[in-house]
Amino acid sequence: MSVLPFASRLPAFAPLHPLGRGPLGEWVSLVWPLEQDAADARPLVVKTFLLASGLAPETRRPLEEALTHAVPLRHPGIARLHGFQVDARDTLTVVSDYVPGCSLATARRRVMGRGARPSEAFVCHVGAEVAGALQAAHGARVVHGDVQSHRIRVGPRGEVTLTDFGLRPARPLLRRFTSPSRPDVVELPVREDAVGSPVEAREDVRALGRVLLELVAGNTVVPEDAAGVDAALSGVSPALRNVLRAALLDAPGATDAAAWLQTALRDCMARGMTCHGQEAVVRELAALPGAGPLSPVDVYVGAASVMTASVPARGRTLPS
């Protein structure tokens, strides 16, 4: 028997276009808000997750608390969470900003598809922007807990946005089908560590370090030991190598880890890398759509908009 739902916190919206499946199996749709002024309105994204049925209130409470804490976050590098709800059918619905562009995972696949790697300036730019978003969140005592390349989106003007704050506690609660022929049988949720401990801010920074190492070194598997990290960074410039090594192995205390990483990456760009500056990053972004596969969601969300100038958001509404 289902537990009582969370209180309704969803803004009113009208559907625009289904976007397909997300990385956790959630359904993703593009919608239009009905409660905003027409001049300021922008599309929103709705993600719908199926939770394991019959979860006890104390099991679901960390999820509700994490999402509640994420709602007030306001930062240019954070996709705003507009509302969420869990209904009596154990369906979690999350409404957040629509972020044009492509995911960092897609950008990486495109570059690798050309037999190349992103420039170190691109890596520093992305890392510094995400670190700034994490710094703002950590200052509000909110940790992300699941920083990965598919949760980082890169916009047509070099904007970098971190998405999906508050969703980490949902991962062990998602419905898991043990057999394609028995969709009613689900695995018991696996309990993870509690969210909010001081060490987790450092883990956000280490996770970002792993994402950046994947970008700059072309590795899909990031080593955990010092020798492996040093080997993976052997072809990286000394300044960036020292920063990423510190982020992965020696990140500073919880209160200043993201601020330290942001400053260190910006210093790397200021030291005269072969390609640096916002305009150079935009030029590099413009070359991305030429090759490489798209994720199912990016096909619809407008990865090709990386090549375009600013267009009114409604103009990016996709045909069915």
Side-chain angles (χ1 to χ4, degrees), residues 44-91:
L44 302 176
V45 168
V46 173
K47 299 183 179 182
T48 303
F49 303 81
L50 294 180
L51 302 179
S53 60
L55 296 174
E58 59 271 17
T59 304
R60 293 188 350 182
R61 190 169 294 115
L63 172 58
E64 181 176 15
E65 291 175 351
L67 289 168
T68 299
H69 292 155
V71 168
L73 289 177
R74 299 290 186 274
H75 185 271
I78 294 176
R80 178 184 172 186
L81 177 62
H82 291 263
F84 66 92
Q85 178 179 304
V86 175
D87 63 21
R89 297 170 297 177
D90 301 300
T91 299

Side-chain angles (χ1 to χ4, degrees), residues 277-288:
Q278 185 83 355
E279 291 183 1
V281 170
V282 171
R283 286 196 299 271
E284 188 168 353
L285 285 169
L288 291 179

Side-chain angles (χ1 to χ4, degrees), residues 125-209:
H125 170 72
V126 170
E129 294 297 305
V130 176
L134 290 175
Q135 178 188 3
H138 295 167
R141 304 183 63 83
V142 176
V143 295
H144 189 283
D146 195 22
V147 178
Q148 298 185 50
S149 58
H150 61 260
R151 302 196 186 284
I152 299 170
R153 297 194 67 82
V154 186
R157 293 293 181 184
E159 312 95 323
V160 180
T161 308
L162 183 58
T163 68
D164 296 333
F165 271 90
L167 282 177
R168 178 198 172 194
R171 297 183 65 182
L173 308 182
L174 298 181
R175 195 169 302 181
R176 294 171 171 83
F177 301 111
T178 59
S179 169
S181 62
R182 291 286 308 281
D184 57 323
V185 178
V186 299
E187 298 175 0
L188 293 176
V190 179
R191 187 171 183 82
E192 291 187 344
D193 294 336
V195 173
S197 60
V199 73
E200 287 191 15
R202 277 200 304 273
E203 290 307 315
D204 272 351
V205 172
R206 288 195 178 99
L208 176 55

Side-chain angles (χ1 to χ4, degrees), residues 117 213 217 219 228-238 241:
R117 294 180 185 177
L213 178 56
N219 295 342
V229 169
D230 289 338
L233 291 171
S234 59
V236 180
S237 66
R241 180 170 64 242

